[in-house]
Amino acid sequence: MSDHIEELSIKKKNRGGRPSNSIWKDINKGEAVSSGKFAAFCKYCKNTWSRNKISKLEEYLSNYCPD
Ligand SMILES: [Zn+2]
């Protein structure tokens, strides 16, 4: 539960799609590496990224993650 993640999703107002923070239910968020990029770890397939964009992680979850 992090308040500032909530704020980010409110600003984005991604209508019709999943909220941008929904991937964090499936992916563990690591450190912010640079603007818009994070270290991350998939809870399902154990894939890890040393840095990746949220949009790429969303794409990964919907298209490539085996689960
Ligand atoms: Zn995965």
Side-chain angles (χ1 to χ4, degrees), residues 4-14 20:
H4 91 258
I5 289 172
E6 294 267 325
E7 278 173 28
L8 285 176
S9 73
I10 289 165
K11 269 186 199 167
K12 244 193 160 182
K13 285 227 170 191
N14 211 347
S20 63

Side-chain angles (χ1 to χ4, degrees), residues 26-27 41-47 49 60-61 64-67:
D26 304 318
I27 291 181
F41 170 76
C42 181
K43 294 177 185 176
Y44 299 120
C45 65
K46 318 299 186 202
N47 208 345
W49 298 268
Y60 174 82
L61 271 183
Y64 303 108
C65 185
D67 191 4

